[in-house]
């Protein structure tokens, strides 16, 4: 029961240890948002190259939202890293919205509206508007010319070796299909995914997913860092993505609930979770819901358990008779086997 309780609670409330650093930040509230669609473009030469993030010292600025503390790099104008407040952890998804061509440019940061962060280059050629609405983030990007590329995000491998098996790239070519998945540990060389309508990555507890678009993405590994690079389709483009915990109630809002995957026992896991949600709807208490679920599982498996226990009990009853047969027919194995089978049949025992 305790093992089941721990497993299920880790799925619903992924409490993971993390950083407890303090952040000097500005408070932002929530705005309205829309969900635009991004168009696809052919692969450019710069798509394959991977310049360094920056050759100059970074200037960092932290901004706090209701869900995150976001560290922006004003050198290059992108999200350096994200601290998720509820779970007190720094996410492994870094360098969100990094454009190689702007790696050394200095950006200014302003907060023109509630829950909106604007990064603008000193020459006013590049502008990035970040809008935060809970775990949903929208990026409005303005560039001086076409043909540029952008890193959607980087993934850094965790120090905990056991967590590596949960890391994977997930994407959809057909919006009606299930997610295709690539284990991060199996990516050894560059891989291109074309015409994905949804693409992202997940680890044990959290995920980042770009949706409502058409993405041609280069997956590039350099040592322990995997980057996701795509073409910017136009001078002005819109990008929507989810960044946060793998909670069904949150992912369902953006039709991303099937990103959650429980491995080999996925079908059984989904069934158990549906029953658990139903019980919680009735009891309004996760503790009682888990206790009731344990009782339901116990009685569902009871017929099989009872049959096995009866078989064991019958075997114990006939054990003295088997020993007598073994002594009587110790020099005749064929006869011994025949008599044992008759004994098993008589007492309805399945050996």
């Amino acid at each position: 029961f305790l093992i089941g309780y721990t497993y299920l609670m880790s799925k619903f409330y992924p409490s993971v240890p993390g950083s407890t650093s303090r952040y000097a930040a500005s408070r932002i509230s929530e705005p309205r948002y829309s969900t635009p669609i991004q168009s696809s473009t052919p692969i450019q030469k710069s798509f394959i190259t991977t310049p360094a993030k920056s050759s100059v010292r970074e200037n960092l600025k932290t901004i706090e939202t209701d869900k995150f503390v976001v560290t922006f790099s004003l050198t290059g104008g992108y999200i350096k890293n994200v601290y998720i407040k509820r779970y007190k952890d720094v996410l492994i998804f870094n360098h969100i919205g990094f454009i190689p061509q702007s790696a050394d440019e200095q950006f200014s940061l302003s907060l023109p509206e509630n829950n909106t962060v604007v990064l603008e280059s000193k020459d006013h050629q590049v502008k990035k508007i970040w809008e935060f609405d809970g775990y949903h983030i929208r990026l409005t990007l303005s560039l001086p010319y076409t043909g540029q590329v952008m890193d959607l995000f980087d993934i850094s491998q965790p120090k905990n070796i056991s967590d590596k098996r949960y890391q994977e790239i997930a994407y959809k070519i057909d919006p009606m299909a299930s997610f295709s998945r690539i284990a991060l540990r199996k990516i050894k060389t560059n891989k291109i995914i074309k015409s994905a309508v949804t693409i992202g990555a997940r680890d044990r507890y959290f995920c980042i997913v770009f949706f409502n678009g058409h993405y041609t993405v280069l997956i590039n590994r350099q040592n322990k860092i995997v980057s996701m690079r795509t073409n910017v389709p136009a001078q002005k483009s819109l990008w929507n993505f989810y960044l946060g915990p793998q909670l069904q109630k949150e992912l369902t809002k953006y039709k991303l609930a099937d990103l959650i995957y429980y491995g080999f026992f996925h079908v059984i896991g989904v069934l158990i979770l549906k029953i658990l949600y139903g019980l919680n709807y009735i009891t309004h208490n996760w503790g009682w819901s888990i206790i009731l679920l344990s009782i339901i599982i116990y009685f569902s498996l009871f017929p099989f358990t009872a049959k096995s226990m009866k078989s064991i009990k019958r075997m114990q009853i006939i054990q003295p008779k088997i020993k007598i047969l073994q002594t009587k027919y110790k020099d005749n194995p064929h006869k011994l086997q025949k008599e044992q089978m008759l004994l098993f049949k008589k007492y309805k025992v399945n050996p």
Side-chain angles (χ1 to χ4, degrees):
F1 170 76
L2 290 176
I3 293 174
Y5 176 85
T6 303
Y7 174 77
L8 290 169
M9 290 304 288
S10 70
K11 294 297 180 184
F12 287 105
Y13 300 101
S15 179
V16 289
S19 171
T20 56
S21 303
R22 294 182 179 178
Y23 291 85
S26 305
R27 185 69 182 175
I28 310 174
S29 58
E30 302 181 11
R32 298 178 181 178
Y33 64 91
S34 60
T35 310
I37 298 179
Q38 174 194 334
S39 60
S40 60
T41 56
I43 297 174
Q44 307 291 336
K45 270 189 176 180
S46 57
F47 189 68
I48 305 299
T49 60
T50 310
K53 287 290 180 282
S54 177
S55 59
V56 298
R57 184 177 179 180
E58 282 189 297
N59 180 15
L60 303 178
K61 175 72 174 179
T62 56
I63 299 295
E64 184 176 356
T65 72
D66 59 334
K67 303 294 186 183
F68 309 112
V69 175
V70 184
T71 301
F72 288 93
S73 173
L74 303 185
T75 306
Y78 58 93
I79 293 179
K80 176 78 172 179
N81 56 56
V82 179
Y83 174 87
I84 189 164
K85 295 193 296 186
R86 179 179 179 182
Y87 306 105
K88 299 180 180 180
D89 197 21
V90 177
L91 303 183
I92 66 170
F93 314 111
N94 307 311
H95 303 109
I96 302 170
F98 170 74
I99 297 177
Q101 290 88 340
S102 305
D104 294 335
E105 290 189 39
Q106 294 301 313
F107 284 72
S108 62
L109 185 148
S110 61
L111 309 173
E113 299 177 7
N114 289 337
N115 209 32
T116 302
V117 178
V118 176
L119 297 178
E120 189 170 10
S121 62
K122 297 297 183 180
D123 59 5
H124 306 290
Q125 295 292 308
V126 181
K127 189 175 183 179
K128 300 179 181 180
I129 303 174
W130 304 83
E131 297 174 82
F132 295 84
D133 181 30
Y135 294 121
H136 173 252
I137 304 172
R138 186 178 74 169
L139 168 62
T140 303
L141 180 61
S142 299
L143 299 175
Y145 54 88
T146 58
Q148 299 194 54
V149 297
M150 181 176 75
D151 286 356
L152 298 177
F153 56 88
D154 289 352
I155 311 172
S156 55
Q157 289 190 348
K159 295 180 181 179
N160 188 345
I161 297 177
S162 64
D163 287 343
K164 291 182 180 180
R165 64 192 180 98
Y166 296 98
Q167 289 187 329
E168 62 182 15
I169 304 296
Y171 63 94
K172 287 185 179 182
I173 304 296
D174 180 355
M176 303 304 294
S178 301
F179 274 98
S180 299
R181 303 170 189 272
I182 308 172
L184 216 63
R185 65 180 183 273
K186 294 183 179 180
I187 299 174
K188 305 299 182 183
T189 58
N190 291 349
K191 179 179 179 61
I192 294 178
I193 297 174
K194 297 182 179 180
S195 303
V197 295
T198 303
I199 190 163
R202 63 187 286 265
D203 62 6
R204 188 171 186 173
Y205 301 106
F206 307 104
C207 64
I208 181 171
V209 187
F210 283 76
F211 58 90
N212 287 353
H214 294 277
Y215 307 97
T216 295
V217 176
L218 169 69
I219 304 174
N220 178 40
R221 174 182 285 278
Q222 289 189 337
N223 298 323
K224 295 183 179 181
I225 303 295
V226 175
S227 62
M228 306 285 286
R229 175 161 296 183
T230 187
N231 289 314
V232 179
Q235 287 180 265
K236 292 186 177 181
S237 56
L238 296 164
W239 312 73
N240 287 279
F241 62 97
Y242 173 92
L243 178 64
Q246 295 179 63
L247 295 177
Q248 188 174 19
K249 65 178 181 180
E250 294 291 344
L251 291 169
T252 300
K253 298 176 185 177
Y254 313 104
K255 299 180 180 180
L256 300 172
D258 55 334
L259 177 72
I260 301 173
Y261 184 61
Y262 303 110
F264 184 76
F265 296 102
H266 178 75
V267 175
I268 298 175
V270 170
L271 177 61
I272 290 174
L273 284 178
K274 286 183 177 179
I275 296 172
L276 189 59
Y277 271 115
L279 293 172
N280 183 64
Y281 180 79
I282 297 170
T283 63
H284 304 287
N285 185 292
W286 285 114
W288 281 110
S289 300
I290 292 172
I291 291 172
L292 291 173
L293 176 64
S294 301
I295 294 172
I296 290 171
I297 293 174
Y298 174 79
F299 281 105
S300 298
L301 299 177
F302 182 78
F304 304 100
T305 306
K307 185 177 180 180
S308 176
M309 292 300 293
K310 287 180 181 178
S311 180
I312 292 172
K313 191 173 181 179
R314 291 193 192 105
M315 182 64 76
Q316 291 174 343
I317 292 172
I318 66 173
Q319 197 64 35
K321 298 181 183 294
I322 291 175
K323 288 183 178 180
I324 293 173
L325 291 176
Q326 288 173 342
T327 303
K328 185 176 180 180
Y329 299 106
K330 62 180 180 179
D331 297 326
N332 192 345
H334 180 73
K335 182 67 174 178
L336 173 62
Q337 185 179 9
K338 185 177 179 180
E339 291 295 327
Q340 282 182 334
M341 294 305 297
L342 291 173
L343 191 63
F344 291 147
K345 187 176 181 181
K346 179 180 178 182
Y347 286 90
K348 299 180 180 180
V349 174
N350 185 2

mmCIF file with all atom_site columns, all heavy atoms in Angstrom, residues 76 106 134 240 249 310:
data_model
loop_
_atom_site.group_PDB
_atom_site.id
_atom_site.type_symbol
_atom_site.label_atom_id
_atom_site.label_alt_id
_atom_site.label_comp_id
_atom_site.label_asym_id
_atom_site.label_entity_id
_atom_site.label_seq_id
_atom_site.pdbx_PDB_ins_code
_atom_site.Cartn_x
_atom_site.Cartn_y
_atom_site.Cartn_z
_atom_site.occupancy
_atom_site.B_iso_or_equiv
_atom_site.pdbx_formal_charge
_atom_site.auth_seq_id
_atom_site.auth_comp_id
_atom_site.auth_asym_id
_atom_site.auth_atom_id
_atom_site.pdbx_PDB_model_num
ATOM 1  N N   . GLY A 1 76  ? 22.272  38.439  -25.609 1.00 0.00 ? 76  GLY A N   1
ATOM 2  C CA  . GLY A 1 76  ? 21.669  37.457  -26.501 1.00 0.00 ? 76  GLY A CA  1
ATOM 3  C C   . GLY A 1 76  ? 20.148  37.492  -26.448 1.00 0.00 ? 76  GLY A C   1
ATOM 4  O O   . GLY A 1 76  ? 19.487  37.076  -27.382 1.00 0.00 ? 76  GLY A O   1
ATOM 5  N N   . GLN A 1 106 ? 23.493  43.121  -26.920 1.00 0.00 ? 106 GLN A N   1
ATOM 6  C CA  . GLN A 1 106 ? 22.964  43.485  -25.611 1.00 0.00 ? 106 GLN A CA  1
ATOM 7  C C   . GLN A 1 106 ? 21.497  43.904  -25.754 1.00 0.00 ? 106 GLN A C   1
ATOM 8  O O   . GLN A 1 106 ? 21.137  44.641  -26.666 1.00 0.00 ? 106 GLN A O   1
ATOM 9  C CB  . GLN A 1 106 ? 23.779  44.623  -25.000 1.00 0.00 ? 106 GLN A CB  1
ATOM 10 C CG  . GLN A 1 106 ? 25.206  44.239  -24.655 1.00 0.00 ? 106 GLN A CG  1
ATOM 11 C CD  . GLN A 1 106 ? 25.285  43.087  -23.662 1.00 0.00 ? 106 GLN A CD  1
ATOM 12 O OE1 . GLN A 1 106 ? 24.594  43.088  -22.641 1.00 0.00 ? 106 GLN A OE1 1
ATOM 13 N NE2 . GLN A 1 106 ? 26.128  42.091  -23.956 1.00 0.00 ? 106 GLN A NE2 1
ATOM 14 N N   . GLY A 1 134 ? 0.271   31.426  -16.387 1.00 0.00 ? 134 GLY A N   1
ATOM 15 C CA  . GLY A 1 134 ? 0.462   30.164  -15.692 1.00 0.00 ? 134 GLY A CA  1
ATOM 16 C C   . GLY A 1 134 ? 1.648   29.412  -16.286 1.00 0.00 ? 134 GLY A C   1
ATOM 17 O O   . GLY A 1 134 ? 2.752   29.933  -16.382 1.00 0.00 ? 134 GLY A O   1
ATOM 18 N N   . ASN A 1 240 ? 4.024   29.368  -29.198 1.00 0.00 ? 240 ASN A N   1
ATOM 19 C CA  . ASN A 1 240 ? 3.329   28.979  -27.969 1.00 0.00 ? 240 ASN A CA  1
ATOM 20 C C   . ASN A 1 240 ? 3.976   27.735  -27.388 1.00 0.00 ? 240 ASN A C   1
ATOM 21 O O   . ASN A 1 240 ? 4.235   26.772  -28.112 1.00 0.00 ? 240 ASN A O   1
ATOM 22 C CB  . ASN A 1 240 ? 1.854   28.672  -28.256 1.00 0.00 ? 240 ASN A CB  1
ATOM 23 C CG  . ASN A 1 240 ? 1.047   29.922  -28.522 1.00 0.00 ? 240 ASN A CG  1
ATOM 24 O OD1 . ASN A 1 240 ? 0.638   30.592  -27.588 1.00 0.00 ? 240 ASN A OD1 1
ATOM 25 N ND2 . ASN A 1 240 ? 0.809   30.235  -29.783 1.00 0.00 ? 240 ASN A ND2 1
ATOM 26 N N   . LYS A 1 249 ? -4.297  17.581  -15.444 1.00 0.00 ? 249 LYS A N   1
ATOM 27 C CA  . LYS A 1 249 ? -5.252  18.686  -15.459 1.00 0.00 ? 249 LYS A CA  1
ATOM 28 C C   . LYS A 1 249 ? -4.667  19.922  -16.142 1.00 0.00 ? 249 LYS A C   1
ATOM 29 O O   . LYS A 1 249 ? -5.412  20.724  -16.722 1.00 0.00 ? 249 LYS A O   1
ATOM 30 C CB  . LYS A 1 249 ? -5.694  19.026  -14.041 1.00 0.00 ? 249 LYS A CB  1
ATOM 31 C CG  . LYS A 1 249 ? -4.600  19.560  -13.139 1.00 0.00 ? 249 LYS A CG  1
ATOM 32 C CD  . LYS A 1 249 ? -5.159  19.903  -11.765 1.00 0.00 ? 249 LYS A CD  1
ATOM 33 C CE  . LYS A 1 249 ? -4.079  20.462  -10.859 1.00 0.00 ? 249 LYS A CE  1
ATOM 34 N NZ  . LYS A 1 249 ? -4.606  20.811  -9.516  1.00 0.00 ? 249 LYS A NZ  1
ATOM 35 N N   . LYS A 1 310 ? -5.729  -21.729 -2.369  1.00 0.00 ? 310 LYS A N   1
ATOM 36 C CA  . LYS A 1 310 ? -6.352  -23.056 -2.275  1.00 0.00 ? 310 LYS A CA  1
ATOM 37 C C   . LYS A 1 310 ? -5.436  -24.126 -2.842  1.00 0.00 ? 310 LYS A C   1
ATOM 38 O O   . LYS A 1 310 ? -5.325  -25.220 -2.298  1.00 0.00 ? 310 LYS A O   1
ATOM 39 C CB  . LYS A 1 310 ? -7.683  -23.057 -3.026  1.00 0.00 ? 310 LYS A CB  1
ATOM 40 C CG  . LYS A 1 310 ? -8.797  -22.298 -2.305  1.00 0.00 ? 310 LYS A CG  1
ATOM 41 C CD  . LYS A 1 310 ? -10.094 -22.328 -3.115  1.00 0.00 ? 310 LYS A CD  1
ATOM 42 C CE  . LYS A 1 310 ? -11.196 -21.562 -2.402  1.00 0.00 ? 310 LYS A CE  1
ATOM 43 N NZ  . LYS A 1 310 ? -12.454 -21.539 -3.198  1.00 0.00 ? 310 LYS A NZ  1
#
